[in-house]
Amino acid sequence: MKARTPEPEVALKRFTTGGFVFCAGLMVILLADAMLTPTLQQELTTLLGLLLMGLGSFFALMGYLAISLLPILLFLLEPSHDRSDRH
């Protein structure tokens, strides 16, 4: 399990990239609402923004979990020889 966890630098990069992609999707939605008339083009542009927001959320969540939750789980699930000696 330890080999599958990313390095902290990779996880932080994934988290920040996800945040930027999320913000880009939000910007696409806001600009489509402000600058385009209510047509099919506006709806498709908004859909693109929603897809970007979803993708960014997923990457940010994966990066955040790798930074915060996985080290705790590895610590708790890792077999420790020191604990078994104490009885």
Side-chain angles (χ1 to χ4, degrees):
M1 185 171 177
K2 200 174 215 176
R4 297 182 68 190
T5 59
E7 296 293 321
E9 296 85 16
V10 174
L12 184 63
K13 189 174 189 178
R14 187 176 296 156
F15 176 70
T16 55
T17 302
F20 283 126
V21 171
F22 178 86
C23 289
L26 182 62
M27 190 182 318
V28 167
I29 291 173
L30 292 174
L31 288 175
D33 184 45
M35 301 182 85
L36 296 176
T37 58
T39 59
L40 181 62
Q41 182 183 8
Q42 182 191 28
E43 297 296 326
L44 292 175
T45 306
T46 304
L47 179 63
L48 173 69
L50 282 173
L51 290 174
L52 284 174
M53 286 179 66
L55 188 66
S57 297
F58 177 74
F59 278 120
L61 179 66
M62 291 300 110
Y64 179 74
L65 291 177
I67 291 169
S68 63
L69 189 64
L70 284 178
I72 296 169
L73 286 176
L74 286 175
F75 176 75
L76 293 176
L77 298 177
E78 185 176 87
S80 176
H81 301 291
D82 295 335
R83 292 184 211 161
S84 63
D85 293 339
R86 293 184 185 172
H87 288 76

